[in-house]
Amino acid sequence: MADRSAIARRPAPALAEASSARQAAAASANAGAGGGLGLPPLDMALRDGPPFCLTDPNGGVLYANAAYCRIGDPLLATGGWPAAPARLDEIRAALAPGRDVTHETSLGLPERPFRAHYGGVFDAAGTLVAVGVTLQEIAGDERLRYRLRSMQTRLDDLTRLVSDWLWETDAALDVTFVSTRITDILGYDPRELTGRPFRSLGEIDTPEDAGSMPILDPKRCVPFRDAAFAMRHRDGTRRLFRVSGLPVFSPESGAFVGFRGTARDITAETDAREQQERVRNQLTQAVESVSEGFALFDADDRLVLCNGRFRAIYPRTPMHQGMPFAELVRGAVESGDIPLPPEEREAWIAARMTMRADPRDHFEIRLGDGRWIQGSDRRMADGATVGVRTDITELKHREAALSAAKEDAEIASRSKSEFLANISHELRTPLNAIIGFTEIMHDEIFGPIGAPKYREYLGDVLDSARHLLDLINDILDIAKAEAGKLQLDEDTVDLRSVMAAATRLVHERAQRAQLLLEIDSPARLPAIRGDERKLKQILLNLLTNAVKFTPAGGRITVAAAASPDGGLLLTVADTGIGIAADDIAIALAPFGQVDGSLQRKYDGTGLGLPLSRAMVELHGGTLDIESTVGAGTTVTIRLPASRVLAT
């Protein structure tokens, strides 16, 4: 075997050149190649033989005889090898000393099939150094068989690649062929279905456009398309197909020989469509069931769907799917569902569309039938818009009623306050005169009164007049407090002095009631900023109540102490009859009486506690009551730290 280096390489002849050029190039290559191998000129040995080519292992042409060159361009496209370049590795791997490779090829010329025979040239080390290729043209019956095999191979490849499965029947409509795709789809081998009547494979329906006549009818022999066909998978699950078929006739006699067709699996498609329909029905039912009007508009602001409540809001406005929102708004205005004067319509529509371009806030619309609607529009990520309309007519009526009631209450409150202020002024003037004249007569300034009993009566008149004046002053103060006109006359206040003054005023009354009245406070208390007269009135009101509602032998304690937050605490505690927890709110209401009967045991107007709380709150503090029936009551006043001055 010749050494690899002994092969003289020459440029491959240009197989696409003209015939004369190819022959000249081949002759030159033949002479060079023959001399390089130390053999007789190859052209002499192979000139009259079949097409022959000698290549290097990569397919580069070293020699080609005239017959090989005459084949021309198809060989140029493959680089000299009759096989496609992708098969080079496969052929090289198959070649070995004493073992050749043969395969059939058309070289791109379907009418001229060849059988290519590859033989290797190896050096002493067994390395492939050249490949000899001999072509033998396939002719006659063998060529026909080759073409049939090629066509069958092509058909098999197509039937494996397409998603549909193919079928054929004979004239009796028995299955004669099923493509192998049926195995992937239904789990059957084609041989299991061959010979069975086609209609036994499943349930087939006649398409609507086929009329009332059944399909697959050998008497009619008409084509059909997309007929519904249900079959069972080998595992028992139901699969759905669309079947199409054509009648086949004999080319010689024209007789009907059967049907040929395809079947497309639409199970997943049908399931998805049914699921989509179920979801759509559920969505429609959900939208119809909501209590508000609901509408969905697409990214182009055209109506996709709306529920009955939305349509009921605009009963005179025509609506249809695909209707632009602008057209719906204009229709609502022109139909009178949204009542507007003609001169205001265009401006209102323009403002509504501006709001629609950037929907954010709620809006309210009064309809033509008097109803009120609250609307909101929300833009979704895909550009669609969801609109919700809520009937707030009842809410509007309640708001109007509340507004009217509030206005009436404010008018009544102002009238009451004005009346109390006026009547208090009118009453205080004659009372002050009565008190003054009574004091003169009681003290006998202008001489003695004849009968001692008159002097006693004058004392009663004086006490009653003073009590009535105090009552009028309380009424005036509570009226001012409710009107927000009660004001503070602020100054530096010594709480110990205030506590002492208040206890002195009720001391005599406490003694008469056989009560122990005491003060409990630290030796030094910080001064506060406040209204001394009102603070004294607060303590006096609380002490008066304590004396009134504490039985003989009881105790009343006035205490003061610093609170943890830096403020001050004032407490008035008694061991009296107490107040039920449910009655505390009544006691704190103006004119509130826990015992409201005409036969109640304790007199009073019910102004002391509410007036005291109003004055405490005017100082920024709070008044709290803790009480137990039969055990006593503790009233706590908390003044804020901002009222406390440096010690």
Side-chain angles (χ1 to χ4, degrees):
M1 185 66 66
D3 188 286
R4 183 175 186 179
S5 62
I7 300 177
R9 295 180 179 271
R10 296 285 191 274
L15 298 179
E17 298 290 338
S19 176
S20 60
R22 287 199 299 268
Q23 295 293 343
S28 174
N30 294 344
L37 292 172
L39 299 172
L42 291 177
D43 191 50
M44 296 175 61
L46 303 173
R47 179 177 53 192
D48 298 325
F52 175 78
C53 172
L54 186 66
T55 75
D56 63 21
N58 294 320
V61 177
L62 299 174
Y63 167 79
N65 68 359
Y68 199 90
C69 291
R70 280 195 297 269
I71 297 176
D73 293 342
L75 293 173
L76 181 64
T78 59
W81 286 44
R87 297 198 63 184
L88 290 176
D89 292 337
E90 178 185 341
I91 293 174
R92 278 194 295 263
L95 290 174
R99 187 172 66 189
D100 298 340
V101 176
T102 301
H103 80 88
E104 295 176 348
T105 177
S106 67
L107 294 178
L109 303 171
E111 300 300 326
R112 295 185 62 189
F114 290 87
R115 183 175 290 107
H117 180 81
Y118 298 87
V121 180
F122 299 88
D123 61 12
T127 302
L128 180 68
V129 295
V131 178
V133 183
T134 303
L135 295 179
Q136 179 182 359
E137 189 169 0
I138 301 174
D141 292 343
E142 189 176 2
R143 175 184 294 184
L144 181 58
R145 287 193 296 272
Y146 170 80
R147 292 179 62 187
L148 289 175
R149 284 197 303 272
S150 298
M151 293 175 63
Q152 185 63 45
T153 301
R154 188 183 305 115
L155 178 60
D156 291 343
D157 290 343
L158 291 175
T159 56
R160 284 195 300 270
L161 290 173
V162 297
S163 58
D164 297 359
W165 54 276
L166 311 180
W167 54 271
E168 288 183 346
T169 72
D170 57 17
L173 303 185
D174 293 334
V175 177
T176 58
F177 167 78
V178 178
S179 65
T180 56
R181 180 69 174 152
I182 197 73
T183 304
D184 299 331
I185 298 176
L186 292 174
Y188 291 103
D189 187 278
R191 291 170 294 183
E192 295 181 78
L193 304 180
T194 303
R196 294 174 53 180
F198 187 87
R199 287 188 174 275
S200 69
L201 302 183
E203 302 171 1
I204 188 168
D205 294 334
T206 301
E208 294 180 359
D209 57 358
S212 60
M213 297 298 293
I215 63 175
L216 275 177
D217 186 355
K219 297 180 180 179
R220 297 183 63 211
C221 302
V222 294
F224 59 91
R225 179 177 295 276
D226 292 336
F229 189 42
M231 293 183 65
R232 292 286 177 181
H233 192 278
R234 180 180 286 278
D235 61 11
T237 57
R238 190 170 183 264
R239 309 288 295 183
L240 299 176
F241 298 89
R242 288 290 182 187
V243 178
S244 300
L246 292 172
V248 181
F249 301 93
S250 170
E252 292 82 10
S253 64
F256 171 71
V257 296
F259 276 93
R260 180 181 297 133
T262 62
R264 177 167 56 92
D265 189 349
I266 60 169
T267 306
E269 176 185 338
T270 303
D271 291 345
R273 187 166 56 249
E274 291 177 353
Q275 176 66 18
Q276 181 181 6
E277 188 63 25
R278 284 195 298 270
V279 171
R280 182 178 180 84
N281 290 337
Q282 291 173 354
L283 176 61
T284 302
Q285 294 174 7
V287 169
E288 285 293 339
S289 66
V290 297
S291 58
E292 290 82 13
F294 177 91
L296 175 64
F297 296 82
D298 62 17
D300 295 326
D301 218 7
R302 295 180 177 274
L303 182 62
V304 177
L305 62 90
C306 63
N307 63 2
R309 291 185 181 273
F310 189 87
R311 290 188 294 271
I313 291 173
Y314 310 102
R316 289 170 288 189
T317 304
M319 296 183 196
H320 58 82
Q321 190 173 11
M323 182 180 191
F325 177 78
E327 183 180 332
L328 190 151
V329 171
R330 184 171 294 278
V333 171
E334 293 177 351
S335 67
D337 282 337
I338 300 177
L340 292 170
E343 64 275 10
E344 298 179 8
R345 292 179 178 179
E346 293 301 325
W348 188 91
I349 292 173
R352 181 69 186 91
M353 296 308 298
T354 300
M355 183 190 304
R356 178 72 168 188
D358 187 19
R360 293 182 182 178
D361 300 327
H362 294 280
F363 56 89
E364 294 180 357
I365 299 175
R366 187 176 185 275
L367 301 180
D369 56 7
R371 290 177 298 160
W372 280 90
I373 299 299
Q374 183 185 73
S376 65
D377 295 331
R378 291 292 180 269
R379 190 69 49 77
M380 297 192 294
D382 62 353
T385 303
V386 172
V388 178
R389 304 292 184 266
T390 305
D391 190 332
I392 58 171
T393 306
E394 187 63 29
L395 179 62
K396 280 290 186 179
H397 290 166
R398 288 199 298 269
E399 286 181 355
L402 288 174
S403 178
K406 180 181 177 182
E407 184 176 354
D408 292 344
E410 290 175 351
I411 294 174
S413 178
R414 286 195 300 269
S415 300
K416 180 195 71 174
S417 299
E418 292 172 359
F419 169 76
L420 290 176
N422 292 332
I423 196 65
S424 298
H425 174 74
E426 295 296 331
L427 291 174
R428 280 194 298 178
T429 300
L431 274 176
N432 284 327
I434 293 172
I435 292 171
F437 290 133
T438 305
E439 286 178 343
I440 293 173
M441 296 172 66
H442 182 269
D443 296 339
E444 299 180 351
I445 293 176
F446 296 110
I449 297 175
K453 202 65 174 178
Y454 290 160
R455 192 171 184 275
E456 180 182 346
Y457 292 160
L458 287 173
D460 293 338
V461 171
L462 183 60
D463 289 341
S464 298
R466 287 173 176 170
H467 175 71
L468 184 57
L469 181 61
D470 291 340
L471 176 60
I472 292 172
N473 287 332
D474 287 347
I475 292 174
L476 182 60
D477 287 340
I478 200 70
K480 287 181 178 180
E482 289 182 351
K485 296 181 180 180
L486 193 62
Q487 297 179 350
L488 296 178
D489 184 10
E490 296 189 12
D491 200 353
T492 301
V493 179
D494 180 4
L495 275 180
R496 288 179 61 86
S497 298
V498 172
M499 295 166 64
T503 54
R504 280 197 303 270
L505 291 175
V506 298
H507 184 266
E508 182 181 354
R509 191 182 306 176
Q511 279 188 332
R512 289 199 303 266
Q514 302 177 20
L515 301 175
L516 176 62
L517 178 60
E518 58 185 4
I519 298 177
D520 179 13
S521 67
R524 299 187 62 183
L525 277 175
I528 66 169
R529 181 173 52 84
D531 188 324
E532 182 174 355
R533 188 182 71 82
K534 288 184 172 59
L535 289 172
K536 186 185 299 182
Q537 185 176 354
I538 292 169
L539 285 177
L540 188 59
N541 288 342
L542 298 180
L543 288 171
T544 300
N545 279 348
V547 170
K548 184 191 304 183
F549 295 107
T550 303
R555 174 182 296 179
I556 300 172
T557 304
V558 183
S563 63
D565 60 357
L568 279 176
L569 298 178
L570 291 174
T571 59
V572 176
D574 62 57
T575 58
I577 61 174
I579 309 173
D582 295 339
D583 293 333
I584 292 178
I586 299 175
L588 288 171
F591 303 100
Q593 295 284 349
V594 174
D595 182 8
S597 63
L598 294 176
Q599 293 81 23
R600 64 178 185 267
K601 181 178 180 181
Y602 305 98
D603 60 357
T605 60
L607 293 176
L609 281 177
L611 185 57
S612 297
R613 183 173 69 171
M615 293 179 180
V616 170
E617 291 175 350
L618 203 59
H619 283 82
T622 60
L623 184 149
D624 299 316
I625 299 176
E626 294 181 4
S627 185
T628 303
V629 175
T633 301
T634 300
V635 181
T636 303
I637 299 170
R638 291 179 172 83
L639 296 177
S642 59
R643 288 280 174 185
V644 179
L645 303 177
T647 304

